[in-house]
Amino acid sequence: MTENIDEAGIRVLTEEELISAVVEKHRRFLEENKKEFRELDSSLNQVEENIKNAKNFRTRMEERKEILKEKRQLFYHQTEALLEKEIFPKLDPITASRIREELKKLKGQIEPEEEQKLKDLFMQNLRETILAAGLGETVLLQANARMEEARNSNVELKEIKNSEKQLVEDDSSKSEEISKSKSQHKWLSTRIKNHEEALSYWEKLKV
């Protein structure tokens, strides 16, 4: 058999050469796995940092939402107080009651677009009522300014809610990414350990 191998020009490796080849193979795999592990580890840390930042951002946005809701109601309360003081005492009870009801609709939880329509209609009716009663327009300007601030708060509130929807979608995507990365992370960790143990074993035999 040996003669046939020699005749074919095939050289049989010595035990030392075989062990060296095995050692080299494990070293190569170990370096490759370690490199992939480091890259994955860095990527995983970045994703987890992003999730942490997103969580902090959501906390701040929740606080901002509460402030905007309070601001919006405050501006409508100021409008109502202004009308109660300057306008309603000079109107008949039925007209004053109608204006209060229209204002009540505006104060409700409605979309900014709907709020704009109701506000425009409210201001038009209020203007007609004030002019018909022979009252000045200063109060009208003050009421309009406060109501515009209220609507601005509602616009920002909607923008935050839209941002939150996007964050939920991003979180879902990141959670899936982390799940896959952690699985790969664990697999690589096991592979590295196995190659280290094999390398240690074969290097001892090499000596």
Side-chain angles (χ1 to χ4, degrees):
M1 180 71 178
T2 306
E3 290 177 1
N4 292 338
I5 292 174
D6 290 339
E7 288 173 4
I10 298 172
R11 189 173 71 83
V12 178
L13 295 176
T14 64
E15 184 178 332
E16 185 179 346
E17 287 174 327
L18 280 170
I19 291 173
S20 292
V22 172
V23 166
E24 184 57 35
K25 181 192 74 172
H26 283 296
R27 277 182 181 160
R28 188 174 72 253
F29 284 148
L30 185 59
E31 282 307 308
E32 289 173 358
N33 289 157
K34 280 185 174 180
K35 181 184 178 185
E36 188 178 349
F37 183 86
R38 286 192 297 269
E39 290 172 353
L40 187 61
D41 202 50
S42 176
S43 174
L44 200 54
N45 287 336
Q46 185 59 55
V47 172
E48 288 177 339
E49 181 67 22
N50 290 343
I51 287 177
K52 180 183 175 183
N53 291 338
K55 185 178 179 182
N56 292 336
F57 177 76
R58 276 198 299 276
T59 300
R60 293 197 302 273
M61 288 303 97
E62 280 299 322
E63 294 169 355
R64 181 61 181 164
K65 276 163 62 179
E66 290 305 310
I67 291 172
L68 289 170
K69 288 175 185 176
E70 290 170 359
K71 274 181 68 177
R72 182 171 179 268
Q73 291 305 311
L74 175 63
F75 284 125
Y76 276 122
H77 176 74
Q78 289 176 348
T79 303
E80 197 170 19
L82 180 67
L83 296 179
E84 288 285 354
K85 180 183 178 182
E86 303 292 340
I87 301 298
F88 291 160
K90 300 167 185 177
L91 300 176
D92 63 89
I94 295 175
T95 302
S97 178
R98 175 178 57 77
I99 294 173
R100 285 191 188 97
E101 283 302 310
E102 290 175 357
L103 191 57
K104 187 177 179 181
K105 288 180 185 177
L106 270 164
K107 288 170 66 177
Q109 292 186 353
I110 55 177
E111 291 291 309
E113 296 79 11
E114 180 66 17
E115 186 174 16
Q116 183 66 61
K117 291 177 184 176
L118 289 176
K119 173 182 167 292
D120 290 344
L121 182 61
F122 177 84
M123 291 307 299
Q124 182 182 334
N125 292 338
L126 185 63
R127 179 184 297 277
E128 291 172 358
T129 301
I130 287 176
L131 291 177
L135 304 173
E137 291 193 47
T138 303
V139 174
L140 194 67
L141 294 173
Q142 292 174 344
N144 185 63
R146 285 173 173 79
M147 289 170 69
E148 187 59 25
E149 288 293 339
R151 197 190 70 82
N152 288 339
S153 296
N154 203 16
V155 168
E156 186 179 343
L157 192 60
K158 184 178 180 179
E159 289 172 353
I160 289 174
K161 288 178 179 177
N162 288 338
S163 296
E164 286 177 331
K165 288 179 184 176
Q166 185 60 48
L167 281 174
V168 169
E169 292 176 9
D170 290 346
D171 280 355
S172 176
S173 175
K174 283 188 177 73
S175 294
E176 188 177 337
E177 183 182 344
I178 283 181
S179 179
K180 289 179 180 177
S181 295
K182 282 188 174 179
S183 177
Q184 179 73 356
H185 196 265
K186 185 177 179 182
W187 180 81
L188 283 169
S189 180
T190 302
R191 289 271 294 176
I192 289 169
K193 184 180 178 183
N194 290 343
H195 283 304
E196 284 175 339
E197 289 175 352
L199 189 60
S200 176
Y201 171 79
W202 286 108
E203 280 181 332
K204 284 176 184 176
L205 288 181
K206 189 178 178 183
V207 173

